[in-house]
Amino acid sequence: MSEEFPQDLQEVIRFHGHVCPGVVIGYRAAKAAQAYLQVDRPEDEELVAIAESDGCGVDAIQSLLGCTLGKGNLIYRDQGKQAYTLICRKRGRAVRVAAKPGLFDRTPEQENAFQKVIGGTASEEEMAVFRAFQKERVAELLAAEVDALFTVAEVSPEVPSKARIFKSVTCEYCGEPVMEPR
């Protein structure tokens, strides 16, 4: 792991599996939300995150903020946006951090290399262009001011109830265990 990154970002990268612009956007969004709400990573469900996409950035939200599907304090709403709402139950406050336009812009050469990489047809030269662009974008995202990356605004979402644990019963149709209310 590169020592050039802060320790908490190194942990996010370890959790995610690699460094990329998407995970750095999630990292910066999580840090912005924490700073706005003046909260640390809680032990349980004091924070709730609403993620509006299932991209790489969600892993940063899970790693840094402790919001997970398993604890019931990570809610996924597929809007296709790099936007996250963080709700602090104790303070009764919430903030939405949304990526500003332009964070994902690529030059035609970068776009061509990107398409070939995801399509599995990139040459070594195209792979090098892609890797260089990714590295450059990560550095830019880490160096940028928060207000250059995100719109950060206090919001008033409906605060979801804490996760509940239900008794498992056997489904009469498939024979598998299922939570009782389902």
Side-chain angles (χ1 to χ4, degrees):
M1 187 66 54
S2 176
E3 297 303 316
E4 67 190 271
F5 298 130
Q7 182 62 37
D8 57 353
L9 177 54
Q10 291 181 43
E11 292 170 19
V12 169
I13 294 166
R14 244 186 312 281
F15 179 80
H16 182 66
H18 64 267
V19 65
C20 64
V23 84
V24 173
I25 290 169
Y27 170 79
R28 293 295 310 273
K31 299 293 273 186
Q34 280 183 302
Y36 188 92
L37 295 174
Q38 299 177 324
V39 295
D40 292 318
R41 185 183 202 272
E43 289 188 26
D44 201 17
E45 298 176 45
E46 292 86 0
L47 295 179
V48 176
I50 301 170
E52 295 183 32
S53 77
D54 61 356
C56 300
V58 178
D59 284 352
I61 300 298
Q62 292 181 95
S63 179
L64 276 176
L65 303 178
C67 298
T68 67
L69 287 172
K71 285 196 298 190
N73 63 340
L74 174 62
I75 299 166
Y76 169 55
R77 294 193 179 139
D78 187 10
Q79 303 296 321
K81 298 179 181 180
Q82 284 283 351
Y84 308 93
T85 299
L86 186 65
I87 303 165
C88 179
R89 285 189 165 119
K90 285 184 178 178
R91 296 200 176 130
R93 292 181 64 207
V95 64
R96 183 172 183 267
V97 181
K100 286 188 172 180
L103 290 185
F104 303 99
D105 291 351
R106 300 180 188 98
T107 67
E109 179 188 28
Q110 292 164 342
E111 182 63 30
N112 181 54
F114 177 77
Q115 291 303 321
K116 288 187 176 182
V117 167
I118 63 172
T121 61
S123 67
E124 282 302 315
E125 182 180 320
E126 290 161 335
M127 285 296 294
V129 167
F130 174 76
R131 283 191 295 272
F133 170 67
Q134 293 285 87
K135 185 175 182 177
E136 179 183 315
R137 183 59 55 96
V138 163
E140 290 169 357
L141 292 167
L142 288 172
E145 296 294 325
V146 170
D147 61 352
L149 301 174
F150 305 109
T151 300
V152 179
E154 189 140 346
V155 293
S156 299
E158 184 177 317
V159 179
S161 58
K162 287 192 170 190
R164 295 178 25 198
I165 299 172
F166 295 98
K167 176 181 169 186
S168 289
V169 295
T170 302
C171 175
E172 59 189 61
Y173 298 107
C174 69
E176 295 175 350
V178 63
M179 69 172 68
E180 193 170 36
R182 301 275 166 85

